[in-house]
Amino acid sequence: MRLSERRKAMGYSQEKFAHALGVDRTTVSRWERGETTPECVHRPKMAELLRLDVTELGTMLARRPAHDAQPTKPPSRPVHGSGESDDMIRRKFLRLLTVSGALTALGTEAADDLAEAVERGSADDYRRMNAHLWQVYQLARSKRSVHEVVQGQLDALADALKSRSAGRHAGEMCEAAGDLFQLSGELAFDSNRYTDAAAAYTVAASASDSADAFDLWACALVRHAYVDMSEQHFAEAVETLDVARTIASRGDAGLSTRYWVASVQAEAHASLGDLDACRRALDEAEKVADLSGPVHNGGWLRFDGSRLAEERGARFVQLGRFDLAEEVLRSALGSTALAEGSSYRRRGSVLVDLALIGAERHDAEQVVTHGREALRLARQSGSGYVARRLRTLRDGLGACGHDRRVSELAADIGNLQAT
């Protein structure tokens, strides 16, 4: 069966099926016509409704609708967007992982026998280009706009890694791969494509391991822990972060890696309701202030402690300590770093936390003021992260649901999710 046939067989209209998934009916229609594919976040619930396991669902979704079986003009090259199939992306990841691992295993002598040594500038070129792409990603209002150029860089790096002349500098090329796959994972994560993000971070960790790049390796694990937390697997995130802390301890003591690990550990502990462990982790993270000189590289490692005030406030919100959270968050919102137009993700996150505090206090004015601004930022930037935070806010609006403005805000957040 195809998706539409299975849906009908299970007794769902498009409208009822969409309602059960929390999406718009037109979204289901586009899935059934093969114009887009469901994101990973929707698939477990879809499988449950259709009485399939996730693998069976993936196989069914891979079948094109009959009217679209023979496209008249296939694209000249794959379109690498959020609709690309998970399977295609994983194959690309596994291909590069296999190649990079094989080159590392060759050893220096065997690599020298393969071909003339590759120019060192090749690896340096990838390193410089990766650093540039991180800057573009950080400045881009819509993170999705960066996807195509990152995918092109991945293709080029894959070709370089499988080249017979790359053996001598396989370690450096693996380090470049570990860097670039973390950025690819960030793009997937921001689009709520958790399976793709986890695959990218896994490859990044493996490539970084092959290159003995401990700080890069630890950062890949930190990002993987974010995937765990987004899927409510907080205990698994704590385990991953414990490993990241151990690996970071073998890295450069002048970098902020271990302190970033601690700040994310605070979030995981807060999610588990452990106030004491959360505070200890935050206190450890604040030791980043004791470092001198450049503490990060502006790419895969950007932690400098400047966000710790807003993060401490967010952790207190998680723990239900609104008395501790609000003053910290308002101070952070007024800082230069979070000024209007500076950082959509950071400002949006603080606004959502302040709106959540308003909801807990039944303060509809605070909810609407901060929630509306966060919603505007999510629409302008296309940030999946801010959208996820807004869905958390919507789930907590029940106490203020009698206020018309709050109800309208909740509906608008729902429409944001559907699109």
Side-chain angles (χ1 to χ4, degrees), residues 326 330 351 353-359 361-372 405 409:
E326 186 164 18
R330 290 193 181 280
L351 288 165
D353 283 328
L354 286 169
L356 280 167
I357 292 174
R361 294 175 175 169
H362 300 183
D363 186 341
E365 189 66 34
Q366 181 168 332
V367 170
V368 173
T369 298
H370 297 303
R372 278 288 171 195
R405 297 170 302 164
L409 173 63

Side-chain angles (χ1 to χ4, degrees), residues 30-336:
R30 288 195 295 270
W31 292 343
E32 294 182 349
R33 292 196 302 270
E35 295 175 2
T36 60
T37 57
E39 294 181 353
C40 299
V41 69
H42 297 306
R43 296 195 179 198
K45 183 62 175 179
M46 284 183 68
E48 177 185 340
L49 295 173
L50 299 174
R51 298 183 186 176
L52 300 169
D53 62 37
V54 176
T55 302
E56 292 171 333
L57 175 64
T59 300
M60 184 182 68
L61 292 173
R63 300 190 184 110
R64 300 182 66 86
H67 66 81
D68 199 27
Q70 298 294 329
T72 57
K73 187 179 179 181
S76 58
R77 65 186 298 271
V79 178
H80 301 290
S82 60
E84 184 179 15
S85 73
D86 298 341
D87 187 55
M88 183 184 299
I89 295 170
R90 279 193 290 272
R91 285 201 304 271
K92 183 179 288 293
F93 291 165
L94 291 173
R95 170 172 166 255
L96 182 52
L97 177 59
T98 301
V99 170
S100 62
L103 283 172
T104 303
L106 288 173
T108 303
E109 291 185 9
D112 287 344
D113 291 340
L114 283 175
E116 294 181 0
V118 68
E119 292 293 332
R120 185 178 184 86
S122 176
D124 289 340
D125 286 344
Y126 281 109
R127 190 177 297 111
R128 285 193 294 270
M129 183 60 177
N130 290 353
H132 173 69
L133 289 174
W134 276 106
Q135 291 177 350
V136 172
Y137 168 77
Q138 189 174 7
L139 294 172
R141 289 189 174 185
S142 174
K143 306 303 183 185
R144 296 174 185 175
S145 65
V146 189
H147 193 285
E148 185 173 354
V149 66
V150 170
Q151 191 66 53
Q153 180 78 342
L154 278 172
D155 289 340
L157 181 56
D159 290 339
L161 273 167
K162 72 178 182 179
S163 169
R164 289 170 62 86
S165 63
R168 171 173 289 181
H169 299 300
E172 294 174 12
M173 298 297 278
C174 284
E175 184 173 349
D179 180 347
L180 191 57
F181 269 107
Q182 290 200 52
L183 178 53
S184 179
E186 288 284 271
L187 290 168
F189 183 80
D190 197 69
S191 297
N192 299 332
R193 290 163 32 227
Y194 299 142
T195 300
D196 299 343
Y201 298 147
T202 298
V203 175
S206 181
S208 304
D209 176 16
S210 298
D212 288 333
F214 297 112
D215 290 285
L216 185 65
W217 184 3
C219 287
L221 291 175
V222 170
R223 290 185 163 94
H224 205 299
Y226 273 118
V227 176
D228 290 334
M229 288 191 288
S230 294
E231 296 181 328
Q232 310 295 306
H233 300 154
F234 303 117
E236 289 86 343
V238 169
E239 293 176 357
T240 301
L241 291 165
D242 284 342
V243 175
R245 180 180 59 186
T246 300
I247 294 170
S249 69
R250 300 178 63 186
D252 186 345
L255 291 178
S256 60
T257 312
R258 64 196 67 192
Y259 305 109
W260 186 34
V261 174
S263 74
V264 182
Q265 284 180 311
E267 182 173 352
H269 289 308
S271 299
L272 292 171
D274 192 336
L275 175 61
D276 291 337
C278 175
R279 276 181 154 165
R280 286 195 300 270
L282 285 169
D283 291 343
E284 178 66 21
E286 288 183 346
K287 293 179 183 178
V288 70
D290 297 334
L291 298 179
S292 59
V295 300
H296 62 84
N297 60 18
W300 46 264
L301 177 61
R302 298 194 302 273
F303 182 80
D304 61 2
S306 62
R307 302 185 183 195
L308 282 173
E310 62 210 68
E311 289 182 10
R312 187 177 286 271
R315 302 296 80 79
F316 289 152
V317 169
Q318 281 182 274
L319 291 159
R321 294 299 304 270
F322 306 115
D323 54 324
L324 300 174
E326 186 164 18
E327 182 179 354
V328 176
L329 290 170
R330 290 193 181 280
S331 175
L333 193 64
S335 67
T336 302

Side-chain angles (χ1 to χ4, degrees), residues 23-34:
V23 301
D24 191 79
R25 184 191 62 78
T26 57
T27 300
V28 174
S29 180
R30 288 195 295 270
W31 292 343
E32 294 182 349
R33 292 196 302 270

